[in-house]
Amino acid sequence: MKGLILKDLYAMGSMYRNTLFSMTIVCLCFGLSLGAEGVAAATAIMCATMIVTTFALDERCGWPGFAAALPVTRKESVLAKYAVHVIYCLAGATLGFVFSIFVNIFGKSKVGFEELGICAIVSFGISMLFGFVIIPIMFRFGAEKARFIMMAVIALPTIAVYFLADKINLGGIVLTDMGIKLLYAAVAIGFILIGLASCAISVKVYAKKEF
Protein backbone atom coordinates (compact mmCIF):
# COMPACT_ATOMS: atom_id res chain seq x y z
CA MET A 1 0.00 0.00 0.00
CA LYS A 2 2.97 2.29 0.58
CA GLY A 3 3.74 2.18 -3.14
CA LEU A 4 0.17 3.24 -3.97
CA ILE A 5 0.45 6.22 -1.63
CA LEU A 6 3.79 7.29 -3.10
CA LYS A 7 2.39 6.89 -6.61
CA ASP A 8 -0.29 9.50 -5.95
CA LEU A 9 2.05 11.84 -4.10
CA TYR A 10 4.66 11.77 -6.89
CA ALA A 11 2.10 12.00 -9.70
CA MET A 12 0.79 15.26 -8.26
CA GLY A 13 4.23 16.88 -8.30
CA SER A 14 3.44 19.78 -10.65
CA MET A 15 0.15 20.49 -8.89
CA TYR A 16 1.84 21.33 -5.61
CA ARG A 17 3.42 24.49 -7.01
CA ASN A 18 0.13 25.60 -8.54
CA THR A 19 -1.78 24.96 -5.33
CA LEU A 20 0.80 26.76 -3.21
CA PHE A 21 0.70 29.71 -5.63
CA SER A 22 -3.11 29.81 -5.39
CA MET A 23 -2.92 29.74 -1.59
CA THR A 24 -0.49 32.64 -1.63
CA ILE A 25 -2.81 34.64 -3.89
CA VAL A 26 -5.76 33.94 -1.57
CA CYS A 27 -3.68 35.00 1.43
CA LEU A 28 -2.45 38.24 -0.20
CA CYS A 29 -5.64 39.29 -2.00
CA PHE A 30 -8.37 38.09 0.33
CA GLY A 31 -6.59 37.84 3.66
CA LEU A 32 -8.03 41.09 5.00
CA SER A 33 -11.60 40.30 3.92
CA LEU A 34 -11.60 36.63 4.89
CA GLY A 35 -9.65 37.08 8.08
CA ALA A 36 -7.20 34.61 9.60
CA GLU A 37 -9.90 32.00 10.17
CA GLY A 38 -11.19 32.26 6.59
CA VAL A 39 -7.72 31.91 5.11
CA ALA A 40 -7.07 28.81 7.25
CA ALA A 41 -10.34 27.20 6.13
CA ALA A 42 -9.85 28.11 2.45
CA THR A 43 -6.31 26.70 2.44
CA ALA A 44 -7.43 23.42 4.03
CA ILE A 45 -10.27 22.98 1.53
CA MET A 46 -7.96 23.70 -1.41
CA CYS A 47 -5.62 20.93 -0.29
CA ALA A 48 -8.53 18.56 0.36
CA THR A 49 -9.80 18.91 -3.22
CA MET A 50 -6.47 17.62 -4.53
CA ILE A 51 -7.71 14.07 -3.92
CA VAL A 52 -10.12 14.60 -6.81
CA THR A 53 -7.17 15.32 -9.12
CA THR A 54 -5.51 12.03 -8.15
CA PHE A 55 -8.60 10.17 -9.34
CA ALA A 56 -8.62 12.16 -12.59
CA LEU A 57 -4.96 11.33 -13.24
CA ASP A 58 -5.62 7.64 -12.57
CA GLU A 59 -8.47 7.60 -15.08
CA ARG A 60 -6.47 9.51 -17.68
CA CYS A 61 -3.59 7.03 -17.66
CA GLY A 62 -5.76 3.91 -17.26
CA TRP A 63 -4.36 3.09 -13.84
CA PRO A 64 -7.39 1.15 -12.45
CA GLY A 65 -7.13 -1.46 -15.20
CA PHE A 66 -3.38 -1.76 -14.75
CA ALA A 67 -3.71 -2.00 -10.95
CA ALA A 68 -6.13 -4.92 -11.38
CA ALA A 69 -3.21 -6.97 -12.75
CA LEU A 70 -0.92 -6.12 -9.84
CA PRO A 71 -0.61 -8.12 -6.61
CA VAL A 72 -2.59 -5.43 -4.79
CA THR A 73 -6.06 -5.92 -3.40
CA ARG A 74 -8.81 -3.44 -4.16
CA LYS A 75 -9.19 -2.79 -0.45
CA GLU A 76 -5.57 -1.67 -0.33
CA SER A 77 -6.19 0.65 -3.28
CA VAL A 78 -9.11 2.23 -1.43
CA LEU A 79 -7.21 2.59 1.84
CA ALA A 80 -4.31 4.19 -0.03
CA LYS A 81 -6.63 6.89 -1.36
CA TYR A 82 -7.88 7.65 2.15
CA ALA A 83 -4.29 7.77 3.40
CA VAL A 84 -3.36 10.24 0.66
CA HIS A 85 -6.38 12.35 1.56
CA VAL A 86 -5.30 12.42 5.21
CA ILE A 87 -1.83 13.61 4.13
CA TYR A 88 -3.32 16.39 2.00
CA CYS A 89 -5.67 17.46 4.80
CA LEU A 90 -2.82 17.57 7.32
CA ALA A 91 -0.75 19.61 4.88
CA GLY A 92 -3.69 21.95 4.27
CA ALA A 93 -4.33 22.47 7.98
CA THR A 94 -0.64 23.12 8.61
CA LEU A 95 -0.26 25.58 5.72
CA GLY A 96 -3.54 27.21 6.67
CA PHE A 97 -2.24 27.71 10.20
CA VAL A 98 0.96 29.30 8.87
CA PHE A 99 -0.90 31.58 6.45
CA SER A 100 -3.40 32.56 9.15
CA ILE A 101 -0.52 33.66 11.40
CA PHE A 102 0.75 36.02 8.70
CA VAL A 103 -2.75 37.38 8.10
CA ASN A 104 -3.20 37.78 11.85
CA ILE A 105 0.07 39.73 12.13
CA PHE A 106 -0.49 42.10 9.22
CA GLY A 107 -4.29 42.22 9.26
CA LYS A 108 -6.55 44.54 11.25
CA SER A 109 -8.34 41.90 13.33
CA LYS A 110 -6.19 40.08 15.87
CA VAL A 111 -6.97 36.49 16.82
CA GLY A 112 -5.32 34.62 19.66
CA PHE A 113 -2.76 31.91 18.92
CA GLU A 114 -4.96 29.33 20.64
CA GLU A 115 -7.96 30.30 18.50
CA LEU A 116 -5.84 29.90 15.36
CA GLY A 117 -4.86 26.40 16.50
CA ILE A 118 -8.50 25.48 17.07
CA CYS A 119 -9.36 26.89 13.66
CA ALA A 120 -6.67 24.69 12.07
CA ILE A 121 -8.09 21.60 13.82
CA VAL A 122 -11.64 22.44 12.73
CA SER A 123 -10.44 23.08 9.17
CA PHE A 124 -8.75 19.69 9.17
CA GLY A 125 -11.97 18.04 10.33
CA ILE A 126 -14.07 19.78 7.70
CA SER A 127 -11.66 18.89 4.90
CA MET A 128 -11.62 15.26 6.09
CA LEU A 129 -15.43 15.18 6.08
CA PHE A 130 -15.33 16.48 2.52
CA GLY A 131 -13.21 13.46 1.58
CA PHE A 132 -15.48 11.07 3.46
CA VAL A 133 -18.33 12.22 1.22
CA ILE A 134 -16.60 12.68 -2.12
CA ILE A 135 -14.27 9.64 -2.23
CA PRO A 136 -17.06 7.00 -2.38
CA ILE A 137 -18.75 9.11 -5.06
CA MET A 138 -15.56 9.20 -7.13
CA PHE A 139 -15.15 5.44 -6.85
CA ARG A 140 -18.75 5.06 -8.04
CA PHE A 141 -19.06 7.68 -10.79
CA GLY A 142 -15.49 8.66 -11.67
CA ALA A 143 -13.63 11.92 -11.24
CA GLU A 144 -15.30 13.92 -14.01
CA LYS A 145 -18.86 13.38 -12.81
CA ALA A 146 -17.76 13.72 -9.21
CA ARG A 147 -16.48 17.25 -9.88
CA PHE A 148 -20.03 18.51 -10.30
CA ILE A 149 -21.18 16.63 -7.21
CA MET A 150 -18.18 18.10 -5.35
CA MET A 151 -19.52 21.60 -5.97
CA ALA A 152 -22.81 20.60 -4.36
CA VAL A 153 -20.99 18.94 -1.46
CA ILE A 154 -19.22 22.24 -0.75
CA ALA A 155 -22.05 24.65 -1.58
CA LEU A 156 -25.06 23.01 0.11
CA PRO A 157 -23.62 22.73 3.64
CA THR A 158 -22.25 26.28 3.36
CA ILE A 159 -25.65 27.65 2.38
CA ALA A 160 -27.39 25.59 5.07
CA VAL A 161 -25.04 26.84 7.80
CA TYR A 162 -25.44 30.43 6.59
CA PHE A 163 -29.23 30.34 6.83
CA LEU A 164 -29.40 28.29 10.02
CA ALA A 165 -27.01 30.69 11.74
CA ASP A 166 -29.62 33.44 11.34
CA LYS A 167 -32.57 31.28 12.38
CA ILE A 168 -31.17 29.45 15.40
CA ASN A 169 -30.32 31.32 18.55
CA LEU A 170 -27.71 29.54 20.65
CA GLY A 171 -27.16 32.44 23.01
CA GLY A 172 -29.24 30.88 25.80
CA ILE A 173 -27.33 27.58 25.80
CA VAL A 174 -24.71 27.28 28.51
CA LEU A 175 -22.41 24.26 28.55
CA THR A 176 -20.63 23.06 31.66
CA ASP A 177 -17.11 21.65 31.53
CA MET A 178 -18.57 18.14 31.54
CA GLY A 179 -20.99 19.10 28.78
CA ILE A 180 -18.15 20.43 26.65
CA LYS A 181 -16.16 17.22 27.15
CA LEU A 182 -19.18 15.11 26.21
CA LEU A 183 -19.73 17.27 23.14
CA TYR A 184 -16.11 16.81 22.06
CA ALA A 185 -16.39 13.05 22.64
CA ALA A 186 -19.61 12.85 20.63
CA VAL A 187 -18.06 14.80 17.75
CA ALA A 188 -14.93 12.59 17.78
CA ILE A 189 -16.97 9.37 17.83
CA GLY A 190 -19.26 10.63 15.07
CA PHE A 191 -16.24 11.66 13.01
CA ILE A 192 -14.68 8.21 13.33
CA LEU A 193 -17.95 6.42 12.52
CA ILE A 194 -18.49 8.55 9.41
CA GLY A 195 -14.93 7.80 8.29
CA LEU A 196 -15.33 4.05 8.80
CA ALA A 197 -18.69 4.06 7.00
CA SER A 198 -17.22 6.03 4.09
CA CYS A 199 -14.29 3.62 3.80
CA ALA A 200 -16.58 0.57 3.93
CA ILE A 201 -18.82 2.02 1.21
CA SER A 202 -15.82 2.78 -1.00
CA VAL A 203 -14.43 -0.76 -0.59
CA LYS A 204 -17.82 -2.26 -1.46
CA VAL A 205 -18.30 0.01 -4.49
CA TYR A 206 -14.77 -0.51 -5.85
CA ALA A 207 -14.97 -4.28 -5.38
CA LYS A 208 -17.92 -4.41 -7.79
CA LYS A 209 -16.30 -2.32 -10.54
CA GLU A 210 -15.12 -4.03 -13.70
CA PHE A 211 -12.15 -2.87 -15.79
Side-chain angles (χ1 to χ4, degrees), residues 32-110:
L32 295 179
S33 58
L34 292 176
E37 304 93 329
V39 168
T43 302
I45 292 297
M46 289 174 68
C47 283
T49 57
M50 292 176 69
I51 192 65
V52 179
T53 308
T54 66
F55 277 87
L57 290 175
D58 285 348
E59 292 178 5
R60 191 179 305 168
C61 67
W63 170 259
F66 178 74
L70 297 177
V72 177
T73 65
R74 297 197 176 190
K75 183 178 180 179
E76 289 176 331
S77 296
V78 171
L79 294 178
K81 285 295 184 186
Y82 279 90
V84 170
H85 182 62
V86 171
I87 293 172
Y88 286 150
C89 290
L90 285 173
T94 303
L95 290 173
F97 180 70
V98 173
F99 279 122
S100 65
I101 291 176
F102 281 101
V103 173
N104 196 46
I105 293 174
F106 298 103
K108 295 181 180 180
S109 61
K110 302 299 180 182

